[in-house]
Amino acid sequence: MASDPASHVSQGSLAAIFDGGNIVAQPILQCLQIKPLAGQGGNPERYRVVFSDIQNYVQSMLATQANHIMHQGKLRKGCFVRIKQFQANAVKGKKIIIVLDLEVLEELGESEKLGDPQGLEVKHEDDNKQQTTSISANGFYGNKPQQPIKQQQSTGQSLPSRPNNSSAGGHGTIYPIEGISPYAHKWTIKARCVFKSDIKTWHNRNGEGKLFNVNLLDETGEIRATGFNDQCDSLYDVFQEGGVYYISSPCQVQFAKKQFSTINNDYEINFGRDTIVEKAEEQDGIPQVRFNFTPIGDLQTIEKDSTIDIIGVLQSVDEVSQIVSKATSKPYDKRELTLVDNTGFSVRLTIWGNTATQFEVPINSIIAFKGVRVSDFNGRSLSLLSSGTMTVDPDIDEAHKLKGWYDAAGHSETFTSYASTADSTSAATGRLDPLKTIAQVREENLGMTEEKTDYFTLKATIIYVKQDSVTYPACLSETCNKKVIELDPGQWRCESCSVTHPHPQYRYMMSVNVSDHTGQLWLSCFDSVGRLIMGMNAEELTSLKENDEAKASEAFQEANCRTWVFKCSARMDNFNDNQRVRYQVRGASGVDFASGGRRLNELIQGYFIQ
């Protein structure tokens, strides 16, 4: 540990960042506090952090691209960091920074709070600077009632930023999409158009009109933007999918209508009369479409009506057909595709409208879909949403690996269709998975192949249920089930749905250690399996733990030494080169002694010599 870490801290750098002094390009600061926030839309947790330069402290939000520092366990209270990329903002009378990239200086060790840092005072001029609501200070470090601030003449300048020198000449400071909110003003973003819809029209008793949508992406996130009527006429031909643009306010920023969009952003943009859109000649640093692929073999574990991304080899293409909507009596064109991947499964995917009628992709091409809806029709099937996108032979690692596998071996394989497994005899999951012992699971390295999920059945006895964090407070929305956060008594906030509920619904998320005659294994279980194991729902167990610890302990003891047949999946988790196999239970049932006896008889018969 360094003898004097205080000598390395960039004292006064926080005030300089916000007040326009001698700015330190990559300041060294001390971490005073860390607070996790629930992830949105299934994404990883977000983190609020307080940083100090000994003289002042500032509240901060880690961008999701910096979450790996938390996953590695490096960012801890009292450590010292170098802030490599950041965005400075003013939020409702407070100053914050969005940290895009940082480095933990482990050689400086950890220390108690250095000095007596003070919160940065906010000048009146900051009201006219860029703002964001990414961070709420309620109940967090340094949150004190605001004192009256002497008004000063506004300079109209933007707060400085350091997002990898992303400011462009003539456009001022480039603002991150992640920081856009209804409280942000005078901003310019530089983003790639990854999707442009067709022009849609409407007619109702209030009048008629037209609109189009685009999805905009930068290195910090994605946001949906809409142009109505006049803006539809003036901007529709400006945007081209794949192009990079400068978009400058004024725009209306409002809460996102989740029923019309699958983008992971709480806000969306409506273009205004004075919105400026310009084509960017320099496109470096702006990412292409971002995917979070689900392997085809894992679709059985995905809840119905979930929205996912998927990539596969195009195996077959049906002719265009039409269906008539029962609600509107309008005809809709559709075409069904069959996709396969290296999990050994195939799935049917439906595309619609112009995408269906104009589809001319060769067989055996690699296609990546973003924004498809999961259905339980025919076991599992998929449908491309109107806001979804399709990319043929994308230049990404997943596509190259899939192409290499298919050319080498996949083209001659036989694939299992979800339609053929829909009537399977497995009541838990609709799959027939081989029965394994724990020793076989380890010896056969199930789950050890990257980007491939292995499935197996395991008959084992529970010997221990991990009792901490066995349940969690979940959203009341029928299709959500995400974790909610208690803001105040009677107020539970779901960041995914942007809804506050009067109370949560508790669900199981438990780890159990199981054993058979060959070894032991840790399994991850969710709500339906948890109810089977504990013999009660998560609400009842949570109440027991809060009101009667003795009975709760008895319930856990009752769960031990019981034998179950588990339907499991094994898949490699890889976080920054740290690999581990995750064994997840997809379904469970009691032991069927009759069928078990028949299977043992068949095994015994196999040893007889004719």
Side-chain angles (χ1 to χ4, degrees):
M1 176 175 174
S3 58
D4 184 18
S7 63
H8 295 269
V9 176
S10 305
Q11 297 191 36
S13 59
L14 293 178
I17 287 172
F18 287 95
D19 298 336
N22 186 17
I23 297 175
V24 179
Q26 295 187 354
I28 296 177
L29 307 172
Q30 184 183 22
C31 174
L32 299 185
Q33 187 170 350
I34 304 171
K35 184 174 182 179
L37 300 174
Q40 302 178 10
N43 287 291
E45 284 186 314
R46 302 294 304 278
Y47 297 93
R48 298 177 184 169
V49 187
V50 172
F51 290 115
S52 163
D53 67 0
I54 301 180
Q55 297 180 12
N56 299 104
Y57 65 80
V58 66
Q59 297 183 36
S60 309
M61 175 73 84
L62 287 191
T64 54
Q65 66 199 57
N67 277 2
H68 64 277
I69 298 294
M70 294 298 305
H71 298 158
Q72 294 170 347
K74 292 183 178 180
L75 185 62
R76 296 186 295 271
K77 182 179 179 180
C79 73
F80 297 88
V81 302
R82 175 180 286 110
I83 308 297
K84 300 170 73 173
Q85 297 178 32
F86 61 90
Q87 174 79 40
N89 304 285
V91 180
K92 295 183 179 179
K94 295 188 178 294
K95 295 180 176 180
I96 66 166
I97 59 175
I98 297 173
V99 179
L100 304 176
D101 190 17
L102 76 164
E103 173 188 3
V104 176
L105 305 178
E106 297 179 271
E107 66 273 16
L108 298 184
E110 300 175 12
S111 170
E112 294 295 324
K113 181 178 70 173
L114 299 179
D116 184 22
Q118 304 297 311
L120 290 170
E121 293 185 1
V122 180
K123 303 174 183 178
H124 178 69
E125 64 188 41
D126 291 335
D127 292 340
N128 292 325
K129 298 180 181 180
Q130 296 177 353
Q131 302 177 359
T132 176
T133 54
S134 295
I135 297 179
S136 172
N138 295 335
F140 200 42
Y141 188 95
N143 182 31
K144 300 177 182 179
Q146 297 182 26
Q147 301 298 322
I149 300 173
K150 183 178 180 181
Q151 293 189 359
Q152 300 181 11
Q153 184 177 357
S154 172
T155 63
Q157 297 176 343
S158 298
L159 294 174
S161 65
R162 289 293 179 272
N164 198 24
N165 297 324
S166 62
S167 294
H171 294 93
T173 298
I174 302 302
Y175 203 73
I177 284 178
E178 186 175 53
I180 290 179
S181 77
Y183 306 95
H185 306 286
K186 298 182 180 179
W187 48 259
T188 296
I189 61 173
K190 183 181 180 182
R192 187 181 302 277
C193 174
V194 295
F195 167 76
K196 183 177 79 167
S197 73
D198 295 330
I199 294 177
K200 303 173 184 177
T201 60
W202 75 87
H203 304 270
N204 56 36
R205 61 184 180 183
N206 296 321
E208 59 184 36
K210 55 187 173 182
L211 62 86
F212 80 104
N213 308 113
V214 291
N215 294 349
L216 303 172
L217 173 74
D218 72 4
E219 62 179 357
T220 70
E222 195 170 1
I223 196 167
R224 184 174 187 254
T226 303
F228 293 91
N229 299 324
D230 292 344
Q231 284 67 52
C232 181
D233 293 334
S234 61
L235 296 178
Y236 185 79
D237 291 332
V238 174
F239 284 103
Q240 300 297 326
E241 288 187 4
V244 176
Y245 302 88
Y246 293 107
I247 298 101
S248 301
S249 59
C251 294
Q252 180 187 5
V253 181
Q254 62 184 21
F255 285 103
K257 298 180 177 65
K258 296 294 186 179
Q259 67 271 34
F260 301 123
S261 174
T262 60
I263 290 179
N264 178 37
N265 197 319
D266 287 338
Y267 304 109
E268 61 186 18
I269 295 171
N270 288 341
F271 295 127
R273 181 183 59 186
D274 298 322
T275 300
I276 299 174
V277 178
E278 300 176 76
K279 183 73 177 290
E281 298 300 329
E282 179 60 50
Q283 302 192 8
D284 292 344
I286 305 299
Q288 303 288 337
V289 180
R290 287 176 175 169
F291 296 99
N292 183 21
F293 293 120
T294 297
I296 295 176
D298 283 359
L299 290 178
Q300 191 66 53
T301 67
I302 305 299
E303 291 187 7
K304 175 180 177 292
D305 295 328
S306 297
T307 301
I308 64 169
D309 303 339
I310 200 159
I311 187 171
V313 181
L314 181 64
Q315 189 181 55
S316 66
V317 180
D318 289 359
E319 295 297 324
V320 175
S321 60
Q322 277 194 345
I323 63 170
V324 178
S325 169
K326 293 181 179 179
T328 64
S329 298
K330 292 182 179 179
Y332 291 93
D333 294 316
K334 58 174 285 193
R335 188 193 295 265
E336 292 195 353
L337 316 176
T338 300
L339 302 177
V340 299
D341 70 3
N342 55 3
T343 63
F345 273 77
S346 67
V347 68
R348 301 282 280 177
L349 186 148
T350 304
I351 55 178
W352 303 87
N354 291 336
T355 304
T357 57
Q358 299 172 10
F359 186 85
E360 296 180 353
V361 179
I363 297 295
N364 298 335
S365 297
I366 308 296
I367 309 182
F369 293 90
K370 183 176 181 62
V372 297
R373 180 70 50 83
V374 179
S375 167
D376 58 2
F377 179 72
N378 278 338
R380 278 294 185 269
S381 57
L382 305 172
S383 178
L384 181 63
L385 300 174
S386 60
S387 58
T389 62
M390 178 184 73
T391 307
V392 179
D393 293 326
D395 186 14
I396 56 178
D397 289 343
E398 293 88 345
H400 300 322
K401 291 178 181 178
L402 200 57
K403 182 66 173 175
W405 159 81
Y406 191 77
D407 289 345
H411 65 279
S412 59
E413 290 189 13
T414 300
F415 297 92
T416 302
S417 168
Y418 275 104
S420 67
T421 63
D423 298 325
S424 169
T425 58
S426 173
T429 62
R431 300 176 60 105
L432 288 174
D433 303 324
L435 181 66
K436 301 288 185 181
T437 64
I438 291 176
Q440 288 174 324
V441 170
R442 299 192 185 281
E443 290 168 0
E444 296 175 15
N445 294 322
L446 297 187
M448 295 294 289
T449 304
E450 287 192 26
E451 301 182 2
K452 181 178 184 297
T453 303
D454 292 314
Y455 301 91
F456 61 94
T457 301
L458 178 68
K459 188 178 81 169
T461 301
I462 295 175
I463 59 175
Y464 181 70
V465 179
K466 194 173 182 180
Q467 298 184 24
D468 57 322
S469 303
V470 70
T471 66
Y472 71 97
C475 178
L476 293 176
S477 300
E478 184 176 352
T479 59
C480 180
N481 298 332
K482 303 298 182 184
K483 185 177 180 180
V484 294
I485 301 173
E486 186 177 21
L487 302 178
D488 291 301
Q491 294 187 8
W492 294 80
R493 177 73 174 175
C494 176
E495 296 292 346
S496 177
C497 300
S498 297
V499 174
T500 300
H501 300 288
H503 60 84
Q505 177 185 13
Y506 283 89
R507 297 176 62 86
Y508 283 108
M509 185 172 61
M510 61 196 307
S511 296
V512 297
N513 190 244
V514 300
S515 175
D516 65 8
H517 64 286
T518 67
Q520 297 180 8
L521 195 66
W522 280 99
L523 303 177
S524 298
C525 309
F526 295 99
D527 194 59
S528 60
V529 177
R531 291 197 301 268
L532 282 174
I533 292 174
M534 299 305 301
M536 64 182 74
N537 61 39
E539 295 275 0
E540 294 169 328
L541 181 61
T542 302
S543 178
L544 276 183
K545 291 184 69 176
E546 293 176 350
N547 303 312
D548 194 334
E549 292 186 3
K551 286 188 177 181
S553 180
E554 289 179 8
F556 283 109
Q557 289 299 325
E558 285 290 327
N560 289 334
C561 301
R562 298 181 64 187
T563 301
W564 299 89
V565 177
F566 298 101
K567 293 291 182 179
C568 303
S569 64
R571 182 172 177 83
M572 179 69 73
D573 278 347
N574 189 344
F575 292 102
N576 302 296
D577 298 327
N578 295 323
Q579 294 184 326
R580 64 182 178 87
V581 179
R582 182 185 182 191
Y583 303 101
Q584 180 176 316
V585 178
R586 299 176 293 112
S589 61
V591 177
D592 185 342
F593 292 99
S595 63
R598 288 191 295 270
R599 185 182 61 82
L600 286 174
N601 183 58
E602 292 172 359
L603 290 174
I604 293 171
Q605 293 297 324
Y607 287 99
F608 290 158
I609 300 176
Q610 301 295 330

